[in-house]
Amino acid sequence: MKVLLRALRSPRLAVWTIVAVAAYAAVASIIERSDYSAPYRTPLFLALATLLASSTAACALERTRRTIRSWRSDEVSPEARERVLLKPMISLPTPYRGELVMERVDGSLRSLGMSVRRHDDMLQARSHAVTVLGSPVFHWALTLLFVVIVLGQLTRSEGLMGIVVGSSKPDIEDSYGKLEVGPWAGGLSGALIGVPRVDWDHTAGEVSRGASPFVELRTARGDLLASGHVYANRPLRHGSMLVHSASHGLAVVVSLQTPSGAGENEVLLDYIPGQEQVEPNGFTLSGSDDAPVASVLFDLPPQPRDGTTRRVRVHIASGPASPADASAREIVLAEGESVDLGSGVRLTIERLTSYARLSVVDDWSVPFIYVLFAVAAVGLSLAIFAPYRTVRVLVVDGPEGVRVHALVRHGRGEPGFPARVERALAGAVKGGGHGRDD
Amino acid sequence: MGETTEVLLMWTAVSVYALAAVLFIVGFMFGKERLNALALLATAIGIVPHVAAVVGRWVRLGHGPYLGFYEVISSFALLGSVAFLLLALRIQTLRVAGTALMPIAFLALGGAMLAPKGGLDVTPALASYWLGIHVAFAKLTYGSLITGFGLAIMFLLRAKRPDHRLLSRLPDDATLDDLVFKFVAAGFMFLGIMIAAGAVWANEAWGRYWGWDPIETWSLISWLCYAAVLHARLTLGWKGPRFMWAAIAALPVVLFALVGVAVVYNSIHGAYLTGP
């Protein structure tokens, strides 16, 4: 275990793992594909990410140990006193003696924003306690970020659900056209998601938001949980559930009268981007022996795209229907009109309306990820701009007079810091017009 | 302010930046302090029409300079020039860094002037206060990293020509090395915040905080590159020339994430630069 930990906290391994992940991502981004995230589910990437996470955790552990050691080493010991005496980084003569020199040094160290403690003839100054935490906090936040992201991916669900205006669907697997559920996810909420209306040109904050569905989220019993217009940057939230508007289109609600009974079907038609036409969509009807009776495909006759479509074109074929199929029957129908499909089946257009395709995400990890982002940023800021700094000053009364010895430590080894300390000390202990305590 | 006035002001800024770049380079080559001072003055003069053009466009279009190649790059050039001017006024020995930075500002603004200048609309996906946060940190990121890049070049030039009159006035090696580190580290932190702000915004706009879209991916690659550079310095002791070369080598990656990805890839993110 110790060997593994030592290997993982190796700075070289950390640097090379970071480089390897970056190189992998660069190569993966060059290969053209429709699913951008596919290369990041491969065993190679997962292995690299695991190595990076483990290395970050080992570094966090190492830095925490170092922090504790550093904190403890701040206790003034005879050895610490010896180090300042024998190997001072700064050594200044002073005409002052006794209490006065201690007071002046104390004041100069405080002017550097440090807190000062006194131990006999030695002064120990250090930056605020929180500055020692920068690097460990940053690395622990990154480590936890890895863990929370992975747990979030394993337990989240995300799906697309098309809902005809004026209706609702329960948050269950069958309601989704496309659904991805993490292997550790609990069941879906079962809440009712309804779209009472779509506002075709919704304006909010003086910005036109385009077509915006008004979404209601209710319990299975019908109690309202949340509601509101949903558009880009304005999802509907309830607990860990987030509902976005993914797209919208036209919906055809048809009833089918067959020899064996009656039923209703919803056909969702997506607009083709930049055109006044929709992607044809439909269904195949089967007879009692499961043999196909007819295929029905819907699209639009030429008409304005304003959300108030009143007619639909129906392509009816005995085989697979296609708008290009010359043998297919073609008929334009309005609401309430019917067509005979043969074999005793009659199709009636009940409603021509619109639908909203909603993206429904249930992910508890998102707020925790945001918090960890913030914690990492604070830790990094501390590590870079306010690292831990200590100064130990010893006043030595020797045969050559009184001297002030100082040992300076800066968490990041900033070259200007010892010079700043020296300037501050020199200003405080050099001779001048003040009284001397001798 | 009309578009014609704006374009005239921008071309004035391009010309004066070009003059500043030439003065910096000639001053550097011949070690002339006076030319260096003139170049700094030219930088300050060039900033005036540049600010006027950016503000005029902001008022006319009703949104800040963050949509389209022209706006994005010209605002980076402006902020870079202002940051350099402030730095050079505060630490006079750093003036010579203009030899590396002002040609970049001139080329960036000149390049931006070749792009279409029509205003892009603030789409519903862009209409969010996260846009301001994201863009502000992007500007801080690029400002810090480009300044670090310029100072790193100065460090390496002085290593080659330690007796150069202007270069010898730069802060000593240890201080300059630390200054480059601070700019790179600050850029790294701002880049991290920019990515995090982008992730929060993506979740609000599209319902996912990360989708491995090319711009997201290349922003992460940039962050990882700088993480490696900083790690190498802090844990492997890369100081001096090695660190400078690393800081220089990492910049093209982050510039590709800013400009290259939106041009090369067909990404939903690219709309901010190339339009929908």
Side-chain angles (χ1 to χ4, degrees):
Chain A
M1 189 67 188
K2 271 188 176 177
V3 175
L4 180 66
L5 203 62
R6 198 177 305 137
L8 283 174
R9 72 175 184 230
S10 151
R12 261 176 225 290
L13 178 75
V15 172
W16 282 113
T17 310
I18 292 169
V19 170
V21 173
Y24 181 96
V27 172
S29 80
I30 292 167
I31 301 163
E32 206 167 311
R33 54 170 61 80
S34 56
D35 180 8
Y36 289 132
S37 59
Y40 306 99
R41 292 193 291 263
T42 62
L44 176 58
F45 182 76
L46 294 177
L48 279 174
T50 306
L51 183 59
L52 186 59
S54 310
S55 170
T56 310
C59 284
L61 198 64
E62 168 65 12
R63 276 149 211 262
T64 307
R65 279 183 187 159
R66 213 184 295 163
T67 297
I68 294 168
R69 267 205 306 273
S70 165
W71 199 251
R72 282 188 183 150
S73 72
D74 286 345
E75 298 304 320
V76 174
S77 59
E79 294 78 32
R81 194 180 179 286
E82 200 74 1
R83 275 198 297 276
V84 185
L85 186 65
L86 297 177
K87 289 184 177 172
M89 289 169 72
I90 300 165
S91 180
L92 300 164
T94 178
Y96 302 107
R97 286 175 184 281
E99 203 53 37
L100 185 59
V101 66
M102 296 300 264
E103 277 175 20
R104 293 181 77 90
V105 169
D106 186 302
S108 69
L109 293 173
R110 285 180 198 279
S111 73
L112 293 169
M114 307 175 90
S115 60
V116 184
R117 282 185 304 162
R118 185 169 165 183
H119 307 268
D120 301 324
D121 56 350
M122 190 158 152
L123 286 169
Q124 162 112 342
R126 62 183 180 192
S127 53
H128 193 279
V130 82
T131 58
V132 79
L133 300 173
S135 183
V137 164
F138 174 62
H139 283 84
W140 278 121
L142 287 185
T143 306
L144 288 175
L145 205 51
F146 276 114
V147 173
V148 172
I149 287 172
V150 170
L151 288 177
Q153 293 296 316
L154 291 172
T155 53
R156 80 197 293 268
S157 66
E158 178 176 3
L160 289 171
M161 181 191 284
I163 302 178
V164 174
V165 170
S167 67
S168 61
K169 282 185 177 176
D171 178 26
I172 57 172
E173 204 173 327
D174 288 346
S175 302
Y176 288 91
K178 183 186 170 194
L179 178 67
E180 286 174 12
V181 182
W184 294 359
L188 298 174
S189 70
L192 285 174
I193 303 170
V195 179
R197 64 178 190 275
V198 171
D199 290 338
W200 288 94
D201 192 12
H202 181 66
T203 300
E206 296 179 2
V207 176
S208 171
R209 310 288 173 165
S212 306
F214 187 87
V215 179
E216 288 180 348
L217 205 59
R218 294 177 182 275
T219 61
R221 289 185 313 174
D223 301 329
L224 187 66
L225 297 168
S227 67
H229 279 103
V230 169
Y231 46 84
N233 295 305
R234 174 93 194 292
L236 184 67
R237 295 171 194 280
H238 177 69
S240 57
M241 189 184 271
L242 211 59
V243 180
H244 279 81
S245 173
S247 63
H248 62 274
L250 299 178
V252 185
V253 182
V254 297
S255 65
L256 289 163
Q257 194 70 47
T258 64
S260 56
E264 201 170 75
N265 251 6
E266 289 174 354
V267 179
L268 307 181
L269 304 173
D270 291 334
Y271 277 112
I272 299 169
Q275 293 183 30
E276 299 301 325
Q277 188 50 274
V278 292
E279 293 280 2
N281 194 10
F283 51 84
T284 301
L285 286 165
S286 304
S288 53
D289 55 352
D290 279 346
V293 172
S295 305
V296 189
L297 208 59
F298 298 84
D299 64 4
L300 290 182
Q303 60 187 310
R305 176 184 172 174
D306 58 359
T308 56
T309 303
R310 290 285 169 262
R311 291 182 306 156
V312 68
R313 189 163 55 192
V314 190
H315 306 267
I316 304 156
S318 50
S322 154
D325 183 1
S327 66
R329 233 182 343 141
E330 190 181 299
I331 184 166
V332 174
L333 297 174
E335 275 184 352
E337 292 180 338
S338 302
V339 62
D340 193 353
L341 301 180
S343 305
V345 180
R346 187 154 194 82
L347 179 149
T348 306
I349 307 293
E350 295 294 338
R351 274 195 301 149
L352 291 177
T353 182
S354 50
Y355 86 96
R357 180 173 287 129
L358 301 176
S359 153
V360 182
V361 180
D362 198 346
D363 188 345
W364 60 270
S365 68
V366 174
F368 294 96
I369 289 171
Y370 294 173
V371 169
L372 288 169
F373 275 154
V375 172
V378 170
L380 186 61
S381 311
L382 282 174
I384 293 168
F385 298 114
Y388 190 49
R389 305 170 303 280
T390 58
V391 181
R392 282 177 180 152
V393 179
L394 191 63
V395 178
V396 182
D397 195 352
E400 295 165 8
V402 180
R403 291 194 78 86
V404 172
H405 291 314
L407 207 57
V408 179
R409 208 175 70 196
H410 186 277
R412 213 172 26 71
E414 185 190 303
F417 185 62
R420 276 207 302 283
V421 173
E422 185 163 4
R423 273 200 303 277
L425 286 177
V429 304
K430 73 179 179 191
H434 299 282
R436 298 174 188 189
D437 186 22
D438 55 1
Chain B
M1 181 190 290
E3 192 177 331
T4 310
T5 315
E6 175 200 315
V7 171
L8 278 173
L9 285 169
M10 280 291 194
W11 277 118
T12 309
V14 174
S15 311
V16 184
Y17 284 170
L19 177 68
V22 169
L23 287 171
F24 269 121
I25 292 168
V26 174
F28 174 78
M29 285 169 67
F30 297 102
K32 298 285 184 191
E33 183 78 13
R34 195 177 167 76
L35 284 179
N36 224 244
L38 276 175
L40 196 66
L41 181 67
T43 304
I45 292 170
I47 284 170
V48 177
H50 198 165
V51 168
V54 169
V55 171
R57 185 179 175 86
W58 192 325
V59 172
R60 182 162 56 85
L61 297 181
H63 65 76
Y66 43 70
L67 290 181
F69 189 85
Y70 166 68
E71 286 181 10
V72 171
I73 303 303
S74 75
S75 62
F76 276 124
L78 174 62
L79 287 171
S81 306
V82 171
F84 163 66
L85 183 69
L86 294 176
L87 189 70
L89 290 176
R90 191 173 151 76
I91 308 172
Q92 295 211 350
T93 49
L94 287 180
R95 268 186 199 176
V96 68
T99 313
L101 293 173
M102 283 318 290
I104 296 175
F106 156 64
L107 289 173
L109 187 57
M113 291 305 290
L114 302 177
K117 296 172 191 67
L120 296 177
D121 291 330
V122 177
T123 59
L126 286 170
S128 164
Y129 60 87
W130 283 106
L131 174 67
I133 299 169
H134 187 61
V135 169
F137 278 100
K139 310 266 186 214
L140 287 170
T141 301
Y142 288 97
S144 305
L145 296 178
I146 290 173
T147 307
F149 170 86
L151 292 175
I153 288 179
M154 291 296 112
F155 184 101
L156 293 173
L157 283 175
R158 185 168 62 186
K160 287 261 180 213
R161 297 175 63 186
D163 299 329
H164 188 279
R165 209 166 134 192
L166 293 177
L167 290 175
S168 62
R169 292 190 183 184
L170 281 168
D172 62 83
D173 274 1
T175 308
L176 192 57
D177 180 273
D178 190 60
L179 206 55
V180 175
F181 166 77
K182 279 180 180 161
F183 275 108
V184 169
F188 173 71
M189 190 185 72
F190 294 141
L191 181 59
I193 297 174
M194 183 194 84
I195 293 171
V200 176
W201 184 15
N203 196 54
E204 294 294 300
W206 302 315
R208 47 102 181 141
Y209 57 84
W210 197 262
W212 294 108
D213 176 88
I215 284 194
E216 293 170 354
T217 304
W218 277 92
S219 300
L220 180 67
I221 293 168
S222 309
W223 194 77
L224 289 171
C225 283
Y226 278 100
V229 170
L230 290 173
H231 242 281
R233 182 192 162 93
L234 292 170
T235 62
L236 299 181
W238 280 27
K239 286 196 174 190
R242 267 214 290 193
F243 176 63
M244 301 304 147
W245 280 117
I248 290 168
L251 191 76
V253 180
V254 85
L255 290 180
F256 181 68
L258 172 70
V259 182
V261 175
V263 176
V264 172
Y265 294 90
N266 180 21
S267 141
I268 46 171
H269 270 95
Y272 88 96
L273 208 61
T274 54

